Amino acid sequence: MDFEMERFISALIDRSPPHALVHLQLVLIPVIVAFLIAFPVAVLLTRRRFMKYTDRVMTIFNMGQTIPPLAIIAIFFPFLGLGREPALFALTIYALLPIARNTLAGLKGVPQEVKEAARGVGMSELEMLTRVEIPLSMPVVMAGIKISVVLTSGTAALGALVGGGGMGAVIFAGIDFFRAELIVAGTLIIGAIAIVLDRILSLIDSILTPPHMKV
Amino acid sequence: MIILDQVDKVFPGQNIPAVKQVSFQVDEGNICVFVGPSGCGKTTILRMINRLIEPTSGDIYIKGQKVSDKEVNPDQLRREIGYVIQQIGLLPHRTVEQNVALVPRLLKWPEDKIKPRVRELIDMVGLDPDEVTHKYPFQLSGGMMQRVGVARALAADPPIMLMDEPFGAVDPIVRGRLQDEFLRLQKEMKKTICFVTHDINEAIKMGDHIVIMNKGELVQHGTPMEILSEPANDFVKDLIGVDREMKLLDLTRSSEVVNRDKAVPDQVRENDCFISALDPVQRALETMMKKDSDIVGVRDGEEEIGIICWDDLKKLINKLSGDA
């Protein structure tokens, strides 16, 4: 395979941007949906009434990450068919675990004496959750979201295999037509997407992190 | 004010009760100190009063109201009871101002009432409001954090305070100072206070009333003087320690012992061998040793009211300790 600079730049500038936008959707939508599912579920699992379900629920999340996204698409193929939707669905399931696991860890890491004092001054369970537990666990939760974002950025390339589009389309075209330029350009842009999203999340993180936890 | 009536607590999965058939009463405006070794149930009792723990059986009343009544909301109850713990538990992500304002905000006080109250409280516990209000807990020393903890408990002016080893996490010098300042505050506040400690000296110093606990049972209760002069059994004697007599001297005011009929000898005046009538008798003993004298003069303000002799002290000790 030879490498021509002109083709490479054309792949990067002309061919990739529409795919990059699709790819961005393939990352953001699953992570946001995964957050909306995993975060409340993990919060519930730290409540006394639901604690006993922790192991069972986490097993389901673990399975979501161990089963390859392509297998999930295959399993749900009869219902969802091919295209954007099954790709989003598979990626969402894939993104659940880090967020759920870190939310659990973050909430459990809130110092006991702080919770004790908060209860002692008469905070209700909801007030404790929103004013003490969630703010104090935010750095760990954000770390989970970042892991999900980076994982999903890479995995989303597989979305192209089922007609979901994204940067995977560029890479697989490169593989099919023996064009190294396309493969490198696709990979670079996926990396860039992951890095940029990670930076943006770090910024949000630094706003949400309580002052005493900042390094 | 606070009444416990045959309260039992057995924690789930344990055979031995943490608290066994404990009954007593704390009078309004008093400091009642629970003292005993670790695991004696003193903290459990405290946490049952504000319903952080529910008793297995028995009743607890605050101002005649049963705290376990269905219409009492535990969160509301706790907002009306100041709570200070050894680990302080300031919210690390909130400033000192926000920490102190916690309960008033939960009670939905108007903001323009909260700000001045917070400053007043911070000043009251001996901190500079301008300096600390905007700091975070991690920027404070242990002693300062504990003061903020006390300020937070006092914020909504609760009639009752529960304090679980509130000065346990600071060094002895700071602890002594915090104790003194707290007693001075209490003279004005007249709160009803339940205070937990494992340190008998702290109990004697802080308590109007002492409850001695061991293995979940109430062993003895009474004023510090009653406990010291008539320990109920060997456990209490051991707890008080070998310097029981010295502690008794520390609890007796010189004005109670002073011999008012005898004039102050010139020799005492030359050596400036005087103590104040308000000083504990122990001060008389210290002064005797320091000045190498058998007699100290006692002054009430500027007026010389009499003397205390070495023999008076010996008699007092024998009388108090009941060994005579």
Side-chain angles (χ1 to χ4, degrees), chain B residues 254-255 257-265 268-269 273-277 284 288 295-309 312:
Chain B
S254 303
S255 55
V257 186
V258 65
N259 197 333
R260 289 170 194 268
D261 303 330
K262 287 186 188 155
V264 178
V268 166
R269 231 172 254 133
C273 201
F274 281 102
I275 59 168
S276 155
M288 282 178 192
I295 303 171
V296 289
V298 180
R299 278 183 184 142
D300 188 4
E302 289 301 307
E303 189 195 354
E304 288 167 7
I305 59 168
I307 59 166
I308 297 176
C309 310
D312 296 334

Side-chain angles (χ1 to χ4, degrees), chain A residues 116 119 122 127 131 211-212, chain B residues 47 78-79 83 93 136:
Chain A
E116 158 100 12
R119 256 187 96 202
E127 284 164 337
R131 300 189 195 189
H212 72 288
Chain B
R47 291 164 54 98
R78 288 181 208 124
R79 287 173 197 179
Y83 189 50
H93 59 305
Y136 286 91

